[in-house]
Amino acid sequence: MSLIITDECINCDVCEPECPNEAIAPGDEIYEIDPNKCTECVGHYDTPQCVEVCPVDCIPKDPDHVENEEQLMEKYHKLTG
């Protein structure tokens, strides 16, 4: 399951540089996560780095993009070649 940034985001800029897949980018009003690039840091770290650094706890799992760990690892391999 990829992650999503909710409208509680305060645009503090700490999540974007932490994403190893460059899945986070500024949106029109708040930061957004590209579900095609988000692996919840599977393959890179034990925990999602954006969640670790977010000061307002606004990055939950995206219910519209459900994936298990195996699928996330497969996506990681596709992204990293």
Side-chain angles (χ1 to χ4, degrees):
M1 180 177 291
S2 69
L3 302 172
I4 189 170
I5 297 176
T6 67
D7 60 4
E8 295 168 351
C9 174
I10 59 172
N11 288 312
C12 66
D13 303 319
V14 298
C15 61
E16 182 182 21
E18 295 300 318
C19 181
N21 296 324
E22 298 179 353
I24 302 173
D28 290 337
E29 295 181 26
I30 60 174
Y31 277 85
E32 298 176 349
I33 297 177
D34 180 345
N36 297 314
K37 292 183 177 180
C38 179
T39 62
E40 291 185 50
C41 290
V42 168
H44 294 283
Y45 301 103
D46 292 335
T47 58
Q49 297 302 286
C50 59
V51 174
E52 294 289 326
V53 299
C54 181
V56 292
D57 194 28
C58 68
I59 310 176
K61 292 181 183 279
D62 183 351
D64 293 333
H65 295 95
V66 178
E67 297 168 295
N68 62 33
E69 184 140 352
E70 183 179 310
Q71 291 168 312
L72 292 170
M73 184 59 83
E74 186 176 312
K75 188 190 305 183
Y76 162 77
H77 287 296
K78 286 180 183 176
L79 290 169
T80 60

